[in-house]
Amino acid sequence: MTLTETILAAHAGRDRVSPGDNIWIDVDTLMTHDVCGPPTIEIFKREFGEDARVWDPDRLVILPDHYIFTDDPHAQRNIEHLRAFAAEHSLAHYYDVGTSRYKGVCHVALAEEGFNLPGTTLFGTDSHTCTSGAFGLFSTGVGNTDAAFIMGTGKIWVRVPETMRFVFEGALPPWLMAKDLILTVIGDVGLDGGTYRALEFDGEAVFDLSMEERMTLTNMAIEAGGKNGIIAADEKTEAFVRARTDRAYTMVAPRADARFVYEKVYDVSQMEPVVAKPHRPDNRAKVSEVEGTPLDRAYIGSCTGGKFEDFVAAARILEGNRVQVDTYVVPASTEVSRRLREEGLHEEGLRGEGLSGGKTLWQIFLDAGCKMGHASCGACLGGPVDTFGRTHGTEVVISTTNRNFPGRMGSKQSAVYLASPLTVAASALAGVITDPREVLV
Amino acid sequence: MKAQISGRAYVLGDSVDTDQIIPAAHLVYSMTEPDERRMYGRYALSAVPDAEAGLPRGGIPFVRDGEYASDYRIVVAGNNFGCGSSREHAPFALQVAGVEAVIASSYARIFYRNAVDGGFVVPFECARRLADVVETGDHLDIDVAAGTVHVRRLDETFLLHPLGEVAAILEAGNVFEYARQSGMIG
Ligand code: SF4
């Protein structure tokens, strides 16, 4: 069995499962946020009763993150709804807005707070819940109804997916990031190439990646239609998890008899920086093919491209320079935001320890002329009209986010190019789409 | 699930994502308060680019200005319908607008699952790419038991894929009713 099948079988109390089987499984962790949490709670109460109890309050994680810094009264009402529910059920893992517990984007916070446990099952009311699979667990997004069902029972039905395996060999050149790898995969298989399937990432180049970079790979499994993205846990995974939690988990090893429905091997040393052109994440082009495309805006943020190392990468390029277009910087989490204010660039670049010239990363962005936002989803999904960085007209944007469907960042007339933080930063400096190899020294 | 679903069709292309079905800015409305709930109908499919709105000609709003419901009962789409976010608001918005069934060449997984488990719209698949055959405004008759759809203008009948195992959930109404009937929950 593949990694995904092994985890699902264990949670269904079976020795074996095969792709296509419909099985009921035990859920280890359920996550919800401010957009889908309130309607999930309404369904939970409708179906299980006003006084119903959550199946296991210690396994429910509520992370408001989407519509946080807005005056929209409906969005604020959603937060109040979550707050009341958390109090009613004495939820230990509710991260309230406006308190020191507030975290920011749910998928990044799940990692930071140690909820991504190898070998477990994690469901969330957000399609990018597949991000958590970077830690060797089965994670996927569900709707409110399914989440409400889990809330009441701790169980859910799943169809066991076939697994596609993407192997990355070789050493990653300094101008490439995980974002380039996953945009390449999505361009190859298409928006629905992974529908009903698990996307497993393997190979030395994957295990050389940091946990944050691995999360970028699994994060965008959904952009290929994938049910889950997954990477086997290794020592790096364990070290990351153990530094954050003492919760129990069981590592799952991939099995020798694993069968894959599709396999593709990439040599990362031969790959190039890429973008996804408007208006589809699979509309891939090499940066060299779209170089010179005029831009109105750059955006660095989200669960895909707003992690600490994403900003370190961007800062390497922006340091000592000025951006030519409006550039929005939105840390995914409060921890990322804090580190940006405390840490700087190290000589070797991608390690954020020590300060170069005494400048913090935050200061590097400010001096480069960037607009700095609060930790949240920000304009990744458009959101209420007063959202920081949201598009309102015909802006052409280059962004580290994960989707560029019409209207995704607000206006359906705007056009969004998706790219790595290196490519976005290089393009922000030039005001036109630019290959990071031209500015990286 | 109704035995017969009839009405006019609204035709869309490939990979119509959840941001086009119900843009994120509108997800703040309550899904239960009647005054707010109807906003999901008003904004259903509101972010589909004009050229692709109501194929083959385009430029046809799904919901007329100021209205809360659509004139169309059946959405016909190409492949990968409902890709993108996990928002259940997407099949819900179609239901609130008055849609009873979608016939697509294929679906994104979470949309399909939400449509079934929440009992919002019946997601049919058709081997023949109906989006190339049907025109917005055509009158369709779906015979659920027979698994066919008849296009009145062409006087042609097309086979739909069997609903398979999810038919039981759709028949029960939603996943909760299904689980109750099968003794999973009390
Ligand atoms: S940052 Fe964007 S993709 Fe990630 S959870 Fe928030 S809205 Fe979704």
Side-chain angles (χ1 to χ4, degrees):
Chain A
M1 289 186 290
T2 64
L3 202 49
T4 297
E5 289 156 17
T6 310
I7 296 170
L8 291 178
H11 286 76
R14 296 201 194 187
D15 293 336
R16 280 204 77 81
V17 294
S18 301
D21 289 353
N22 279 317
I23 56 173
W24 286 89
I25 64 163
D26 293 327
V27 175
D28 291 315
T29 311
L30 175 66
M31 183 281 295
T32 189
H33 53 51
D34 56 304
V35 172
C36 295
T40 297
I41 292 165
E42 284 182 350
I43 298 171
F44 168 73
K45 294 195 168 187
R46 179 191 81 201
E47 295 294 333
F48 296 101
E50 271 301 314
D51 302 322
R53 307 307 297 173
V54 172
W55 103 101
D56 185 347
D58 195 42
R59 295 181 181 277
L60 176 59
V61 186
I62 303 185
L63 287 153
D65 58 354
H66 277 60
Y67 302 157
I68 307 304
F69 301 101
T70 168
D71 291 332
D72 186 301
H74 292 110
Q76 293 181 354
R77 180 184 62 186
N78 274 344
I79 307 283
E80 281 157 26
H81 194 158
L82 293 180
R83 191 173 290 150
F85 185 73
E88 192 184 326
H89 290 262
S90 313
L91 297 180
H93 313 304
Y94 172 57
Y95 297 92
D96 204 356
V97 178
T99 73
S100 59
R101 286 176 57 75
Y102 173 66
K103 297 296 170 202
V105 181
C106 54
H107 312 299
V108 174
L110 280 174
E112 290 170 351
E113 297 302 303
F115 290 106
N116 289 344
L117 301 170
T120 60
T121 59
L122 185 155
F123 289 77
T125 57
D126 191 285
S127 62
H128 290 101
T129 304
C130 51
T131 310
S132 294
F135 292 78
L137 57 116
F138 177 84
S139 64
T140 193
V142 291
N144 310 335
T145 295
D146 285 333
F149 193 96
I150 296 171
M151 219 178 245
T153 65
K155 294 192 185 306
I156 191 172
W157 71 271
V158 293
R159 181 156 121 198
V160 179
E162 298 170 314
T163 296
M164 301 172 90
R165 182 169 178 249
F166 300 89
V167 184
F168 293 94
E169 304 286 7
L172 198 69
W175 55 84
L176 282 187
M177 297 186 72
K179 184 68 172 289
D180 296 295
L181 308 189
I182 191 63
L183 286 177
T184 300
V185 165
I186 297 162
D188 283 347
V189 304
L191 278 188
D192 58 356
T195 301
Y196 283 101
R197 291 170 166 179
L199 273 59
E200 183 172 337
F201 303 98
D202 207 344
E204 57 176 326
V206 169
F207 293 101
D208 281 348
L209 294 175
S210 66
M211 292 313 296
E212 283 196 357
E213 280 280 272
R214 292 182 197 183
M215 287 165 69
T216 303
L217 287 182
T218 49
N219 174 274
M220 290 190 72
I222 183 69
E223 269 64 62
K227 180 174 214 143
N228 64 311
I230 195 162
I231 299 170
D234 64 359
E235 319 78 64
K236 264 188 213 170
T237 319
E238 289 231 85
F240 189 104
V241 173
R242 277 290 154 251
R244 287 164 174 80
T245 183
D246 49 15
R247 287 165 171 262
Y249 61 87
T250 315
M251 298 271 282
V252 178
R255 307 241 304 233
D257 65 351
R259 278 218 216 100
F260 301 99
V261 61
Y262 172 101
E263 278 194 86
K264 181 149 181 160
V265 181
Y266 294 89
D267 177 355
V268 296
S269 67
Q270 300 302 312
M271 293 172 71
E272 286 198 41
V274 291
V275 298
K277 295 186 288 181
H279 298 280
R280 287 168 58 130
D282 64 348
N283 197 6
R284 181 195 59 206
K286 291 177 184 167
V287 172
S288 54
E289 292 167 341
V290 289
E291 239 180 334
T293 304
L295 298 166
D296 300 308
R297 177 179 295 191
Y299 187 94
I300 311 175
S302 86
C303 51
T304 316
K307 299 179 265 53
F308 182 69
E309 290 169 23
D310 295 314
F311 293 110
V312 172
R316 281 168 69 200
I317 286 179
L318 295 181
E319 190 190 16
N321 295 305
R322 295 283 299 181
V323 295
Q324 296 302 312
V325 290
D326 286 344
T327 300
Y328 293 82
V329 168
V330 184
S333 71
T334 51
E335 181 177 319
V336 172
S337 186
R338 177 185 57 74
R339 291 185 67 189
L340 293 182
R341 292 165 197 270
E342 290 174 0
E343 298 179 38
L345 282 178
H346 191 256
E347 280 86 59
E348 285 124 56
L350 268 172
R351 291 275 73 84
E353 303 134 10
L355 300 184
S356 90
K359 266 195 193 179
T360 61
L361 290 156
W362 193 272
Q363 196 62 46
I364 291 173
F365 289 118
L366 277 181
D367 291 351
C370 300
K371 302 175 194 300
M372 310 300 286
H374 295 294
S376 69
C377 292
C380 170
L381 84 163
V385 289
D386 58 350
T387 300
F388 181 75
R390 185 188 193 275
T391 60
H392 293 281
T394 57
E395 302 91 338
V396 179
V397 187
I398 190 160
S399 172
T400 66
T401 53
N402 46 42
R403 288 195 180 128
N404 58 351
F405 294 111
R408 172 66 178 182
M409 290 190 87
S411 161
K412 72 174 173 179
Q413 277 82 38
S414 65
V416 179
Y417 289 80
L418 306 176
S420 79
L422 287 173
T423 302
V424 170
S427 304
L429 285 187
V432 297
I433 295 182
T434 301
D435 195 313
R437 284 173 288 191
E438 287 175 17
V439 283
L440 270 179
V441 278
Chain B
M1 194 165 34
K2 283 163 84 174
Q4 197 78 31
I5 300 172
S6 290
R8 295 214 283 144
Y10 189 78
V11 183
L12 295 164
D14 291 330
S15 292
V16 173
D17 84 300
T18 50
D19 284 298
Q20 295 176 64
I21 299 174
I22 181 74
H26 307 306
L27 303 180
V28 293
Y29 302 118
S30 162
M31 295 168 84
T32 47
E33 303 285 332
D35 276 0
E36 292 185 36
R37 185 182 191 276
R38 62 184 189 153
M39 300 303 267
Y40 288 99
R42 166 171 281 186
Y43 294 113
L45 291 173
S46 62
V48 175
D50 295 341
E52 282 132 61
L55 295 175
R57 274 179 299 129
I60 305 171
F62 177 63
V63 177
R64 277 180 281 151
D65 242 7
E67 301 277 320
Y68 296 92
S70 173
D71 298 334
Y72 306 96
R73 286 282 154 280
I74 299 168
V75 169
V76 170
N79 63 36
N80 204 29
F81 186 73
C83 62
S85 121
S86 64
R87 65 187 70 150
E88 189 161 302
H89 310 73
F92 175 77
L94 294 179
Q95 183 194 42
V96 174
V99 172
E100 294 180 46
V102 179
I103 306 175
S105 299
S106 67
Y107 292 89
R109 189 190 65 80
I110 310 179
F111 178 92
Y112 184 84
R113 192 176 168 111
N114 286 342
V116 170
D117 279 1
F120 300 113
V121 291
V122 185
F124 289 105
E125 287 177 334
C126 185
R128 179 70 187 271
R129 195 182 148 90
L130 276 198
D132 291 345
V133 181
V134 174
E135 295 184 2
T136 295
D138 278 355
H139 202 109
L140 309 188
D141 300 288
I142 300 172
D143 183 328
V144 176
T148 56
V149 55
H150 181 256
V151 184
R152 289 191 194 174
R153 178 177 56 85
L154 305 170
D155 193 20
E156 264 197 84
T157 300
F158 301 89
L159 268 185
L160 300 169
H161 287 316
L163 288 166
E165 296 184 48
V166 303
I169 301 175
L170 287 163
E171 213 45 77
N174 63 35
V175 71
F176 295 99
E177 290 311 318
Y178 171 77
R180 275 188 199 105
Q181 288 171 14
S182 52
M184 282 270 321
I185 57 174

